[in-house]
Amino acid sequence: MTTRQTASTRNSSVEKTNTKAKSRQLKIDEEPINNVKRRRTEQNDIQNIHIQYDSLEKYGYHFKNGKLVSIETDKPFKFDVFSDNEENQKRYETIGKLVDNAVFELLEKTCHLQRVTVPVDAKKSEHTSFIFTSNDLVTADYLMVIIHGTGVVRAGQWSRKLIINEGLKIGSQMEYIRRARAAGYAVIVTNTNLNNFESSRFLRRSTICPIRGSSTAEEHGCYVWEHFIHPSHAKHICIMAHSYGGAVVLEMAHHFLKEFDKRVFAVALTDSPMTVYGRRVKKNVLKMLKQRMINWVVDTEEVDTDLGENDCCQIRSAGILVDFASSNQCGLAPGFQSLYSILQATKTKMGGRTLRANLMEPLIDVNSIHYRQDAVENLIDDEKLMFQVQTILLHFTDVERIILACIQENPSRTVAAAEKRITMINQLRRILDILPTLQQALEQSTSDLLKNLCSILSDQRFQIILDILNSQLTTEQTVSSNGFLAAKIRRIFSIRSGFDERLDSLRADVIVVIDDVESLEKEFSERFNMPVRYNLTNTRGFSLEIIGEFKGVLPANVVSVAKKQKSTFITTLQLAHLSDRFELLYNDICLLTDQIILILLAKIRPHFGCMYKLIEAISIIDMIQSFAEVSKARDYVRPMFGLNTKIIKARHPVIDLFGQQKPIANNIELCKEMNIILVTGPNMSGKSTYLRQIALLQILAQIGCFVPAEQARFRIVNEIFSKIRQHDNLFTGQSTFSSEINHIAFILNCMTPNSLIILDE
């Protein structure tokens, strides 16, 4: 029997068939979309996995002005790059190892140290460690040994974390090495944490093998003493050690007691728990160390305050008025848009360093603050005096650096060292020559501080040193222009004519060479009918510069041609010979002049005590004029001091200068009855800015500067603590909460009734 489908049944079947077809088509269409999504997910997973590179540049970072910053944006190092914190930590550790290599390169290139293998008799296939030493280790009378703490740090570092986050100046040892070298010390930089290596002897198995002579930090220290310090000529040794480095010092003193007692005159420690480490050695060792070892520890007392002693060392405070975290949170650290940057109107490097030190450790004595305020007010009221002081200060170079170069007893005798000493001695003479002018200007002042500083400049020893220098140095200006050749000519004629016959003979030969070069200059100018001038560079030697577009034919004796913009530089065979002749004469003159200068320095060295007072005087004068210039230009007022703090219409000093809009003035009032203030408000309303403003104005007032307000009265505080923002720290294993609790605990343990505490959220 045949069954006939109705129309409705047929339509239903067609709809089912169409639905199945559409379903299949949808699955086909969805498949590539899902594949795309899957591929995107895989790409995101790849981006969230750390890829190890072999250089900082491939990570997008480099060291610029001593700080690790992004190559593209100049922003500091960023930890949170991946969503997975484990991958962030892997990236951080890899970058840390690359920072180690960068520091090693800087020790060799910048500090001019050489890498020495430990052990010294290592075989080719043997794994080794290394240290860094200066090239005068065998001959120098003075030696500094630097020992870092435990952990991941390597040679040349105090803290890898500080190098990455704050820069080389704070986290590395290079500043200490530079100062030691400038003072004539040989240097040994130890590497106590490189103790072992991983040996893969069997498939899928590895063993940790110690490095001979460096299996522990203590063994490394003793090996360095036996093979490097003991054979050296140094009779005066000082040691600088951080944290666990103190234990290494104890071990060296224990094994080499007699030699240690005879040759080591000072040991400086920082944050080293010597009470724990001292239990390992005998009492006679501790007694010997106690006479020459000081341990500086973090404390709320002023820097260098005596905190007592223990069995093996004296203890002193390394504490500062403003703790390190607060200095960054409140904007004290040097950098753009900081309190340091808005006050940086100093004219000398010494003044800048003194300003930085005062920001980190303001005054707490009211009389001393008034003393400075009177000097600032004197300069603000007397514009002529301030202009004279500022103009004279521009002639002062870094006196501190000059003194360090002059007090070396066993200096290097190379041409480069001779050039440096000749330049320094001439700078010293010019500084002493201009001192009477500064003294005359300060005699017009009415403030007691400026008058006292003026009396320091009247020390008769300055004139004695100047007379000794003028007896042998040229007082006339030989060359008025600047440049490479002018600097060489000034060095050539540094010593008075007639003082040394050999020197006069060599200088006469130099004049002949210069005359020959000038003759060639005139000859080529007439030949080409174009302006021609000669110059001297370190790479080309003497060359002739043809000024303008040159389209003529050069003579056959031209050996090199270079074009720069519209000028053509040519060197002939005769000029090349004259360059060689000039260089030989110049080197001989520098070495001969250096011998005379070393004798001269020996004569003035007994009178050099006054120069340290000069550094202090110039630094304070420069800082005071900086305060005066900033206060006058930005309409600051002189603050008063009393039992309460009350500021009317106070302005944030940084926003007042750098802000895009004029800051809103706020009133601040703190007193005994109202010593806790709770600041509330919506997000982005300026609560944190208001808190920072209080701390910055307090510091401005206590360093002796005027403040941005209509009226101001402050209560003197002895410490400033702040907790404005805290982050988790995977390096130390602290969460955000743990970090905040530790910071609050530190504040509670250290605060006093005279503390200013700022807490944000």
Side-chain angles (χ1 to χ4, degrees), residues 104-167:
F104 297 155
E105 290 181 10
L106 289 171
L107 289 176
E108 293 177 310
K109 294 179 180 179
T110 306
C111 300
H112 306 294
L113 303 182
Q114 54 190 4
R115 188 186 301 209
V116 182
T117 301
V118 173
V120 292
D121 57 346
K123 300 176 182 178
K124 289 185 178 180
S125 59
E126 185 177 1
H127 286 269
T128 60
S129 179
F130 55 88
I131 62 172
F132 289 89
T133 66
S134 56
N135 53 12
D136 58 345
L137 175 62
V138 179
T139 58
D141 286 334
Y142 290 83
L143 170 64
M144 174 177 280
V145 182
I146 301 177
I147 308 172
H148 54 61
T150 188
V152 297
V153 291
R154 295 292 184 262
Q157 303 177 26
W158 295 124
S159 168
R160 182 195 284 177
K161 176 185 174 183
L162 285 178
I163 292 176
I164 293 175
N165 295 322
E166 302 296 336

Side-chain angles (χ1 to χ4, degrees), residues 585-600:
L585 290 170
Y586 174 76
N587 290 344
D588 291 342
I589 290 172
C590 281
L591 293 174
L592 191 56
T593 303
D594 190 41
Q595 293 178 12
I596 299 171
I597 285 175
L598 288 174
I599 298 171
L600 200 59

Side-chain angles (χ1 to χ4, degrees), residues 202-480:
F202 307 102
L203 187 64
R204 294 185 181 179
R205 289 187 181 181
S206 63
T207 56
I208 302 299
C209 302
I211 296 174
R212 182 163 60 91
S214 297
S215 61
T216 64
E218 293 88 344
E219 184 183 12
H220 177 87
C222 291
Y223 188 93
V224 169
W225 185 285
E226 183 178 356
H227 292 84
F228 296 94
I229 299 175
H230 173 71
S232 70
H233 179 69
K235 299 176 183 177
H236 311 283
I237 301 173
C238 66
I239 302 175
M240 179 177 290
H242 173 64
S243 187
Y244 195 77
V248 178
V249 173
L250 287 172
E251 196 71 16
M252 292 192 296
H254 173 70
H255 282 85
F256 308 97
L257 180 59
K258 290 184 179 179
E259 188 178 7
F260 196 101
D261 187 21
K262 183 178 179 181
R263 299 175 69 183
V264 176
F265 70 91
V267 179
L269 305 177
T270 56
D271 288 327
S272 186
M274 298 304 289
T275 306
V276 178
Y277 301 152
R279 298 170 186 168
R280 306 178 184 180
V281 296
K282 297 179 180 179
K283 289 185 178 180
N284 60 333
V285 178
L286 300 178
K287 185 178 179 181
M288 180 271 295
L289 286 171
K290 194 172 184 178
Q291 301 171 0
R292 67 204 72 193
M293 188 156 68
I294 299 176
N295 187 14
W296 277 269
V297 298
V298 175
D299 196 87
T300 56
E301 295 292 335
E302 292 185 11
V303 175
D304 224 28
T305 301
D306 190 353
L307 301 178
E309 58 185 31
N310 56 28
D311 291 338
C312 59
C313 64
Q314 304 169 46
I315 305 173
R316 293 186 184 174
S317 171
I320 50 179
L321 183 67
V322 184
D323 67 284
F324 183 76
S326 298
S327 71
N328 288 334
Q329 292 171 1
C330 296
L332 299 183
F336 182 62
Q337 295 188 359
S338 67
L339 190 59
Y340 177 83
S341 66
I342 69 167
L343 293 176
Q344 178 54 292
T346 56
K347 309 301 179 186
T348 67
K349 292 183 179 179
M350 300 174 292
R353 288 194 289 266
T354 302
L355 172 61
R356 162 73 170 156
N358 275 266
L359 284 174
M360 298 305 296
E361 193 175 355
L363 300 173
I364 58 175
D365 180 61
V366 177
N367 293 329
S368 300
I369 298 172
H370 286 319
Y371 211 41
R372 284 189 186 176
Q373 288 179 333
D374 292 341
V376 172
E377 192 168 30
N378 184 189
L379 292 177
I380 291 175
D381 294 339
D382 193 340
E383 292 185 6
K384 182 180 177 181
L385 174 61
M386 185 161 70
F387 178 75
Q388 286 179 337
V389 170
Q390 290 175 338
T391 305
I392 296 169
L393 286 176
L394 290 172
H395 295 278
F396 282 84
T397 50
D398 197 344
V399 182
E400 194 170 5
R401 186 167 57 92
I402 294 173
I403 291 176
L404 286 174
C406 292
I407 63 176
Q408 295 182 27
E409 294 186 357
N410 294 296
S412 175
R413 300 299 180 90
T414 62
V415 174
E419 286 180 322
K420 184 178 179 181
R421 266 189 296 276
I422 295 169
T423 302
M424 292 291 185
I425 201 75
N426 281 305
Q427 289 176 348
L428 178 60
R429 192 196 66 78
R430 286 194 293 270
I431 288 170
L432 294 175
D433 201 31
I434 204 172
L435 270 186
T437 309
L438 180 59
Q439 183 183 350
Q440 290 174 6
L442 292 178
E443 285 174 352
Q444 308 169 25
S445 65
T446 57
S447 74
D448 293 335
L449 176 58
L450 294 179
K451 286 181 179 179
N452 288 340
L453 294 173
C454 180
S455 65
I456 293 175
L457 303 183
S458 62
D459 194 320
Q460 294 299 318
R461 288 176 293 180
F462 293 127
Q463 189 60 44
I464 294 172
I465 295 173
L466 182 60
D467 291 340
I468 295 172
L469 295 178
N470 285 339
S471 65
Q472 297 182 20
L473 297 180
T474 303
T475 56
E476 299 176 359
Q477 189 173 6
T478 53
V479 182
S480 59

Side-chain angles (χ1 to χ4, degrees), residues 45-57:
D45 290 341
I46 292 172
Q47 291 173 357
N48 283 326
I49 296 175
H50 165 242
I51 300 174
Q52 186 169 335
Y53 297 115
D54 58 358
S55 69
L56 287 173
E57 287 72 18

Side-chain angles (χ1 to χ4, degrees), residues 605-740:
R605 201 169 283 129
H607 309 286
F608 238 62
C610 62
M611 298 303 298
Y612 297 100
K613 291 184 178 180
L614 177 64
I615 293 173
E616 184 179 2
I618 297 300
S619 301
I620 295 174
I621 292 169
D622 196 10
M623 183 179 67
I624 293 297
Q625 70 79 25
S626 178
F627 291 166
E629 181 176 332
V630 170
S631 300
K632 184 177 179 64
R634 297 167 199 165
D635 197 24
Y636 288 4
V637 298
R638 176 171 177 167
M640 308 295 288
F641 292 93
L643 298 176
N644 304 325
T645 295
K646 185 175 182 179
I647 313 171
I648 299 175
K649 292 190 176 180
R651 309 188 303 274
H652 192 294
V654 178
I655 299 176
D656 192 32
L657 178 63
F658 294 113
Q660 296 180 353
Q661 298 178 350
K662 193 172 182 180
I664 298 173
N666 295 282
N667 295 337
I668 302 168
E669 187 169 359
L670 297 167
C671 59
K672 188 176 181 180
E673 295 77 17
M674 193 170 58
N675 60 355
I676 297 178
I677 295 180
L678 183 64
V679 182
T680 61
N683 291 336
M684 300 296 292
S685 61
K687 301 186 297 299
S688 299
T689 303
Y690 180 77
L691 292 176
R692 289 191 185 95
Q693 173 182 309
I694 296 172
L696 294 179
L697 294 181
Q698 184 76 44
I699 292 167
L700 272 178
Q702 288 193 218
I703 62 175
C705 186
F706 290 8
V707 298
E710 285 191 0
Q711 293 181 20
R713 182 177 69 245
F714 290 88
R715 179 177 70 91
I716 294 292
V717 299
N718 292 341
E719 300 92 17
I720 297 177
F721 300 102
S722 74
K723 190 208 73 64
I724 292 181
R725 56 177 179 269
Q726 294 292 130
H727 301 289
D728 58 348
N729 191 336
L730 294 177
F731 186 75
T732 58
Q734 288 187 344
S735 65
T736 302
F737 176 75
S738 175
S739 179
E740 288 187 351

